Amino acid sequence: PVEPCTLVIFGGSGDLARRRLIPAVYNLLLDGLLPAKYAVIGLGRKPMTDDEFRTMVREGVVKHSRQALVQETWDAFQSHLFYIQGENEDPQTYHALRAKAEQVERDMHLPGNRIFYLSIPPSSFASVCEGLAHSGLATSADTAPPYSRIIVEKPVGRDLASAREINEVTGKVFDESQIFRIDHYLGKETVQNLMVVRFANSIFEPIWNHKYIDHVQITVSESEGVGTRATYYEEAGALRDMIQNHLLQLLCLVAMEPPYSLDPDVVRNAKMEVLRCLRPIVGQDVAQYTVRAQYAEGTAHDQPVPGYRREKGVNPNSITETYVAVKAFVENWRWSGVPFYLRTGKALPKRASEVAVQFKDIPQILFNANPAQPQPANVLTLRIQPDEGLSLRIISRVPGTRAQTHPVEMDFQYSDVFGCPSPEAYERLLLDVMAGDASRFMRRDAVEASWDWVTKILDGWAQQKLRWLPEYPAGTWGPVEAERMIQNDGRNWRML
Ligand code: BG6
């Protein structure tokens, strides 16, 4: 059940609010999933009236909404949108916000349930949490209802120490049950399907282990370069931006033990176990188990792309990585000796994300006409985006008189079977917060465990004292070093 609520967005005039968050709320309305009573209050630095905010949001919805703008619903929707200008660091902001929230809640007969969305840099989290507590805007978990919940956008820190600091700061004001740390990959339809494929089918789980699986590849490939986000990205890089959260969460879903129920904490405990089992990559090992690189000048979508160090806002001597490949091991009974190859990068040939589970080779006794070319192995691929779906590569006989075999794909596409487009990740996740369901959010211990693993790699990299990173031309599949890393194991990256 979703109770009436007020959503307050810090960073309300920013990109995320305009492109993703408010269009997500609008789509929930179109799909009849919002409670009858709700309000959205944007808070930002930019001075704007409610009406100006509505006009800005309208443009965002027209450009970025999954479903087209319908004038009638828009008219109803916009009367639920409000704006207030303020600095996050200024205590006055919170008194003004409280007055505005109370007025809106009175006018719209809302019960005072509040969700605070922190779509702002982590350096402001402390001020916001203190402001919310001192002004009485936020209620504690003990006194609810009405409830107060807080949504924390990434990055939750830049290493283990800073992540702990953020968790301390938010934890002083909010109970863990009130904190929703977002990883939007967990809201993607296909990512949610990972658990269903594994645990709602009888054929996969018995072979989901080191006896039958050769290795797993998790790829999140992006075709765009750094775009307008250089200031953020320069400080982050691909390891912090993608591996620490999205790819490690995918790895957890592939590797976790079956949870005994879908209770949020039971699922999150199962994922946490995986993070605990990750073999640390420390010191000199980074050279063997990780590859980092930067895109150089190249071509994407038939357009010339400048090298990363020549992008606007990027330090010409930057050693921020735009590509990472990691060979990870989950050291438990199930996954003993099975490598998990993770790779992600910007300015690669296309936008495509997938999880591919490659099974062991069969004994090459019966059908290998050419011993130099063994039969390809079975691969189960879960396509996260685009062409959301799942496919299984099996070997079939080629019709005819010669005993020839050929790999074929058994393929399922969401769009063919279910027709309607899936809800966007942010729609699913905002609705979860309204319903108080934390299953698809990161618990404090998981955030810290992933940062712990990632920070060790960062420390190893720092010890290398590199002045330049290996490069790959924009529009290609990454550096030769990454090819070498997997080829040294007698394997290849999948062609996407
Ligand atoms: C974000 C990263 O978390 O995920 C971005 O900060 C990245 O750098 C984005 O582009 C990718 O998300 P999606 O949903 O487009 O795959």
Side-chain angles (χ1 to χ4, degrees), residues 431-490:
L431 198 62
D432 281 351
V433 181
M434 291 179 194
D437 179 351
S439 339
R440 281 174 279 257
F441 292 82
M442 309 271 292
R443 208 169 53 189
R444 176 177 181 158
D445 53 355
V447 170
E448 293 181 6
S450 7
W451 270 120
D452 186 24
W453 189 75
V454 161
T455 303
K456 291 190 172 102
I457 299 178
L458 289 166
D459 290 346
W461 284 355
Q463 285 167 21
Q464 288 182 317
K465 296 197 172 37
L466 296 190
R467 293 190 51 218
W468 303 107
L469 293 189
E471 291 185 332
Y472 58 100
T476 66
W477 280 112
V480 287
E481 286 79 356
E483 298 294 336
R484 246 182 255 141
M485 180 173 83
I486 195 165
Q487 282 169 2
N488 285 344
D489 295 345

Side-chain angles (χ1 to χ4, degrees), residues 57-165:
V57 167
R58 190 179 195 280
E59 278 167 26
V61 170
V62 169
K63 271 203 198 145
H64 304 287
S65 164
R66 173 170 66 84
Q67 306 178 82
L69 187 133
V70 180
Q71 194 56 45
E72 214 174 281
T73 23
W74 171 257
D75 290 342
F77 182 63
Q78 66 158 2
S79 63
H80 295 248
L81 304 177
F82 305 90
Y83 184 78
I84 175 165
Q85 191 259 339
E87 295 285 337
N88 297 328
E89 274 67 31
D90 179 0
Q92 278 314 316
T93 300
Y94 300 90
H95 296 294
L97 177 61
R98 180 169 177 178
K100 180 106 184 176
E102 287 178 349
Q103 186 202 332
V104 166
E105 285 164 354
R106 248 192 326 271
D107 293 351
M108 309 201 75
H109 308 288
L110 286 159
N113 291 324
R114 293 180 188 147
I115 298 172
F116 303 100
Y117 200 119
L118 269 50
S119 170
I120 48 175
S123 51
S124 299
F125 287 0
S127 313
V128 173
C129 289
E130 278 159 27
L132 291 175
H134 291 156
S135 64
L137 264 160
T139 53
S140 84
D142 310 329
T143 57
Y147 68 69
S148 291
R149 294 176 186 149
I150 185 166
I151 307 181
V152 182
E153 251 303 330
K154 65 181 276 264
V156 182
R158 60 185 325 275
D159 53 20
L160 179 59
S162 52
R164 280 198 176 132
E165 215 171 280

Side-chain angles (χ1 to χ4, degrees), residues 154 184-185 188 222 229 241 246 346 351 385:
K154 65 181 276 264
H184 77 279
Y185 266 59
K188 288 183 190 275
E222 297 189 275
R229 294 171 73 226
D241 187 43
H246 309 323
K346 296 213 182 272
R351 179 172 185 259
Q385 62 193 23

Side-chain angles (χ1 to χ4, degrees), residues 290-301:
T290 73
V291 171
R292 53 181 165 151
Q294 241 175 24
Y295 63 85
E297 197 179 322
T299 326
H301 311 294

Side-chain angles (χ1 to χ4, degrees), residues 372-383:
Q373 261 190 336
Q375 299 280 353
N378 298 125
V379 181
L380 176 70
T381 310
L382 294 118
R383 289 189 305 276

